[in-house]
Amino acid sequence: MSIRKVVKYGESSLRQPSKEVHKVSQKIKNLVEDLLDTLYAQNGVGLAAPQIGENYRVFVIDVSTGNEPLNPMVFINPKIIKKSGAVISHEGCLSFPEAFTDVKRYANVMIKALDSHGRSFVLEAKDGSLLARAIQHEFDHLDGVLFIDHVINRFEADKVLQEHNLPPVEVDKILDEPELTAEIEEIKAKQVEKETKESKENA
Ligand code: ZN
């Protein structure tokens, strides 16, 4: 199939919710192929259909690295059925070229979806793994939600966005995530404690 143009942050279509797939037709299979071709061409980890201008509830992920064989995973009409724990995730997005910032994520997720043959499957990803974080990131795209909506420090994020000639964080879109925020604060406090201890040991 073909490598498609990736929609960049600032374009309104990234904020549109996507529609359910009624049938895993040839058209949807072609869309999946295009998503994978575009993902690999960009060396990405995940890509959602709205990022190539197709507002369908479809995304692809491949967390294989280096010499590992490719491991394309396809999610159609996904539902996150369980989530727990919190983790700080340093993320980027193909719609935000080269811009990375820390965001709040669940550490563990369970997702139910259809694969490219229309078969239902359930997958669990744990311990803040790349897969667990990528699932949440790509799932969000289907609802017009972007990774910066989970930002931990919006001033830091704005700096990074500016450096990459991208529009600033949309403050009104930042999600209130009390269930994650408390745990993230604890993780950050522990990091500071560890760094202080290390710098004392090195002194
Ligand atoms: Zn993204």
Side-chain angles (χ1 to χ4, degrees):
M1 296 306 292
S2 52
I3 296 168
R4 305 273 291 267
K5 185 178 162 286
V6 176
V7 177
K8 295 284 176 313
Y9 177 50
E11 293 180 52
S12 61
S13 66
L14 272 188
R15 286 298 191 183
Q16 279 163 21
S18 292
K19 42 187 185 292
E20 292 270 323
V21 170
H22 291 301
K23 184 173 179 273
V24 183
S25 58
Q26 192 55 48
K27 182 183 160 191
I28 295 296
K29 288 178 185 174
N30 294 347
L31 168 62
V32 166
E33 290 301 316
D34 282 2
L35 280 168
L36 287 168
D37 288 346
T38 309
L39 178 74
Y40 292 130
Q42 302 263 352
N43 280 316
V45 171
L47 188 65
Q51 288 180 280
I52 59 168
E54 303 266 6
N55 281 91
Y56 287 104
R57 302 189 74 84
V58 178
F59 66 76
V60 297
I61 289 178
D62 191 329
V63 291
S64 64
T65 54
N67 296 327
E68 289 169 16
L70 293 180
N71 181 24
M73 304 172 92
V74 176
F75 302 78
I76 299 170
N77 294 345
K79 305 255 181 307
I80 291 184
I81 50 180
K82 229 158 76 176
K83 48 192 182 182
S84 66
V87 69
I88 296 173
S89 177
H90 194 61
E91 288 183 23
C93 175
L94 291 177
S95 296
F96 293 68
E98 325 243 338
F100 286 80
T101 196
D102 284 344
V103 299
K104 299 168 203 169
R105 292 292 184 198
Y106 288 94
N108 314 297
V109 289
M110 194 187 271
I111 189 168
K112 190 180 172 193
L114 301 177
D115 67 13
S116 57
H117 304 284
R119 292 179 302 224
S120 176
F121 67 96
V122 173
L123 177 77
E124 200 172 9
K126 298 175 103 170
D127 304 322
S129 61
L130 180 57
L131 178 60
R133 294 177 289 127
I135 285 171
Q136 294 169 75
H137 179 120
E138 300 311 329
F139 181 85
D140 271 353
H141 275 299
L142 309 184
D143 292 320
V145 174
L146 301 173
F147 76 117
I148 50 165
D149 303 343
H150 299 275
V151 75
I152 291 176
N153 183 328
R154 93 167 159 94
F155 302 102
E156 248 171 54
D158 271 342
K159 220 171 94 185
V160 173
L161 293 173
Q162 198 182 13
E163 279 165 12
H164 294 90
N165 298 316
L166 291 161
V169 170
E170 293 169 72
V171 181
D172 60 323
K173 301 268 199 247
I174 296 178
L175 297 157
D176 185 29
E177 299 170 293
E179 72 285 14
L180 287 181
T181 305
E183 253 189 88
I184 296 282
E185 286 305 319
E186 264 176 56
I187 296 169
K188 273 165 54 188
K190 273 190 198 136
Q191 275 178 355
V192 171
E193 203 179 301
K194 192 169 161 257
E195 279 161 23
T196 316
K197 200 171 157 239
E198 277 170 2
S199 68
K200 271 185 189 153
E201 279 167 0
N202 293 333

